[in-house]
Amino acid sequence: FPPAAGAGGAGADGKEAEGEGGGGGEACDLQDDDYFGEYGGLKIHLEMLSDRARTLAYRNAISGLRDEIKGRSALDLGCGSGILSIFLAREGEASHVYGVDASDILHKATAKVIETSGLANRITLLKTKMEDLKLPAPGVDVIVSEWMGTFLIAEAMLESVIRVRDSFLRKQSGLMLPSHARLILAPATHPEFWERKILFWDNVYGVDMSALRKLACEEFLRRPVHTEVLKPSNILSTPQSIWDMNMYTVTVGDLEDHSSAFSFDVLKPATLHCLAAWFDVAFLPRSHNSSEMEGGRQDSKDDGTWYSTSPYHEPSHWKHALLFLEEPPSVYAGDKIHGSVNISRNKFLRRHFQIKLVVSVTRADSKRASCMKMGVAERGFETKETSRADINDQHKSLEIANEGKGRGVPPEGASMEGENQRAEHIVFKEEHTYFMWR
């Protein structure tokens, strides 16, 4: 995970970064020209503003917290098109709003939008990087920012938000929106993606190109796949939080390296293609704590208090981040999926992250015996009825699994009962490293 050739350069303050997160004095690069260049045109803003769930979540949150915002000063970090600044002034009735952005969209379009809205006397736009921000006031009462990225932390904008919080938010009474965030993980099946990207090479217009499968895995699975939208039916177990953040206390150091263990009980038979990730954010009053973020809340609505990008809610422009396995195993109801995730930030290319995933599947002896009687192969086990080639065939059987015709996955609701044995054995294990950048 080394820096690219010639990647050294200035940090956000124009100097070589040192100390916390700076690679011990080594030169680092936030790639600001590329980053802010992407936000200088309308394409990305059209995508964000067209995300109804995302935009309304912020508007509803600001409106619902009007009593906490009314008559107070507010800061909109990464204001972009100015929509959140307008919500703060109009729905929140903030006394004054400072909209901060370093991209060219500010003077090309946002200033005109603010003027047209009739709020130019209550919204001040500042074209600057957050790290270089200077305000006419010593502090602000409210900070609002839509800093979240793929896998919650992609783009590394959160560091800038934390630094501005520490410099300008009133310590005892200041309001952070969102107030809390959490990264969620769940095992998932996605046969359509696997068919399009991996199994495709098995038969290309009658030509066997399966020799390219390994290359396809290296190219398509090296990064978290963030172009797919999952449905609840793709999820194989109850989702779990692997990272909880309190926006009043999270530090820049917390973003450098984070590890979390997970354990899932499989709820239905399928092929385990990936671990799926999404995020929730909460918009809670300062007097509340993070307890309202706990629990799955899959049946709740985005009500202005919190917002979820999960498969159980309206799709968002973030979609879902999928960590695909190279050799997806068959899993069954009652199997356990164990593992860990480590997320580390590149010390040189500061908007880049590395994700290390370790995942294993364990199966009770009774279920293992039933599987072997059915001629179903397990990773690490081969029955007389099942060859290594048959294991690959299991990936192709998911489409007909619930009809009871696939040898890799039994029909929905099939009994796996056998001898009453409690011991569990590892039937699959894989370690994988993914690289994530903007």
Side-chain angles (χ1 to χ4, degrees):
F1 203 45
D13 58 359
K15 301 177 181 179
E16 290 189 354
E18 297 182 359
E20 185 178 26
E26 297 286 346
C28 68
D29 186 6
L30 281 169
Q31 302 164 289
D32 283 345
D33 290 344
D34 292 339
Y35 179 68
F36 293 119
E38 292 178 1
Y39 285 88
L42 288 180
K43 179 181 178 181
I44 194 167
H45 296 285
L46 174 62
E47 181 181 18
M48 292 188 292
L49 293 171
S50 298
D51 187 338
R52 178 180 176 277
R54 166 256 190 198
T55 307
L56 290 181
Y58 273 86
R59 190 183 73 175
N60 293 340
I62 291 169
S63 178
L65 292 170
R66 182 183 294 110
D67 291 344
E68 305 243 349
I69 299 173
K70 185 175 181 179
R72 306 176 78 190
S73 59
L75 193 55
D76 176 10
L77 299 178
C79 65
S81 65
I83 189 72
L84 300 187
S85 294
I86 293 173
F87 288 164
L88 284 165
R90 193 178 64 188
E91 277 78 7
E93 299 184 28
S95 60
H96 201 86
V97 179
Y98 300 97
V100 180
D101 205 291
S103 71
D104 289 340
I105 191 70
L106 208 67
H107 62 76
K108 288 197 299 186
T110 311
K112 298 175 184 178
V113 171
I114 299 302
E115 184 177 355
T116 302
S117 71
L119 295 169
N121 62 326
R122 292 172 54 204
I123 299 177
T124 299
L125 299 178
L126 303 171
K127 188 177 187 301
T128 180
K129 296 177 183 177
M130 298 182 201
E131 292 79 1
D132 300 330
L133 178 62
K134 295 180 181 179
L135 290 177
V140 294
D141 302 297
V142 182
I143 292 179
V144 173
S145 181
E146 195 265 74
W147 52 265
M148 300 82 71
T150 300
F151 217 78
L152 183 62
I153 57 170
E155 300 185 28
M157 181 178 170
L158 181 54
E159 175 184 347
S160 300
V161 174
I162 292 171
R163 294 193 184 281
V164 172
R165 177 203 68 191
D166 292 345
S167 297
F168 295 102
L169 185 68
R170 302 194 193 285
K171 303 300 182 186
Q172 301 302 319
S173 60
L175 178 66
M176 290 289 293
L177 297 178
S179 59
H180 300 81
R182 63 182 181 185
L183 179 61
I184 309 294
L185 195 71
T189 186
H190 197 346
E192 296 83 5
F193 178 90
W194 196 257
E195 180 71 36
R196 293 197 313 265
K197 299 294 186 180
I198 308 301
L199 298 185
F200 169 86
W201 305 100
D202 289 357
N203 186 339
V204 183
Y205 302 101
V207 178
D208 182 357
M209 294 189 177
S210 58
L212 301 181
R213 252 210 214 187
K214 181 174 177 58
L215 182 60
C217 287
E218 293 175 355
E219 181 170 339
F220 300 128
L221 310 184
R222 181 171 178 261
R223 297 177 61 179
V225 175
H226 58 85
T227 57
E228 302 293 306
V229 176
L230 297 184
K231 300 176 181 178
S233 58
N234 292 111
I235 306 304
L236 302 179
S237 184
T238 303
Q240 298 176 11
S241 175
I242 59 170
W243 199 348
D244 290 276
M245 296 182 186
N246 183 324
M247 297 311 300
Y248 297 100
T249 59
V250 64
T251 68
V252 174
D254 294 335
L255 308 181
E256 295 301 318
D257 190 276
H258 177 80
S259 295
S260 179
F262 57 79
S263 180
F264 298 100
D265 293 323
V266 177
L267 300 178
K268 62 183 180 180
T271 298
L272 173 63
H273 289 108
C274 61
L275 277 296
W278 58 84
F279 62 83
D280 299 345
V281 293
F283 302 92
L284 303 177
R286 181 66 190 253
S287 58
H288 285 57
N289 56 38
S290 61
S291 61
E292 292 192 19
M293 288 290 291
E294 297 176 357
R297 302 192 64 171
Q298 297 163 5
D299 56 350
S300 300
K301 296 181 179 180
D302 298 327
D303 56 7
T305 301
W306 74 292
Y307 166 62
S308 176
T309 62
S310 85
Y312 303 93
H313 293 76
E314 184 176 344
S316 74
H317 77 282
W318 285 285
K319 301 181 174 64
H320 301 119
L322 310 181
L323 306 177
F324 274 91
L325 305 174
E326 290 189 2
E327 297 185 48
S330 299
V331 294
Y332 306 86
D335 285 356
K336 296 185 181 297
I337 300 172
H338 305 280
S340 63
V341 179
N342 173 263
I343 307 166
S344 59
R345 192 175 178 189
N346 191 306
K347 294 185 180 300
F348 302 95
L349 302 177
R350 301 297 285 152
R351 298 193 191 275
H352 292 215
F353 292 84
Q354 176 177 276
I355 303 169
K356 292 184 178 179
L357 174 70
V358 178
V359 59
S360 63
V361 177
T362 60
R363 183 167 298 143
D365 274 351
S366 59
K367 294 190 177 182
R368 178 189 165 200
S370 297
C371 288
M372 295 176 78
K373 287 178 182 178
M374 295 171 63
V376 175
E378 299 171 321
R379 284 288 301 277
F381 302 94
E382 292 185 12
T383 69
K384 292 182 179 180
E385 299 82 16
T386 308
S387 67
R388 180 58 65 182
D390 289 329
I391 297 178
N392 292 331
D393 291 339
Q394 292 178 27
H395 305 321
K396 302 178 182 179
S397 68
L398 189 60
E399 295 294 330
I400 57 174
N402 288 335
E403 299 174 9
K405 300 175 183 178
R407 67 182 301 157
V409 183
E412 188 79 35
S415 173
M416 298 293 292
E417 295 181 358
E419 298 177 4
N420 186 23
Q421 299 175 347
R422 295 184 178 181
E424 294 185 346
H425 292 269
I426 296 176
V427 297
F428 169 86
K429 185 172 183 179
E430 185 169 302
E431 299 183 13
H432 200 43
T433 300
Y434 311 83
F435 300 97
M436 180 174 67
W437 54 95
R438 302 189 318 275

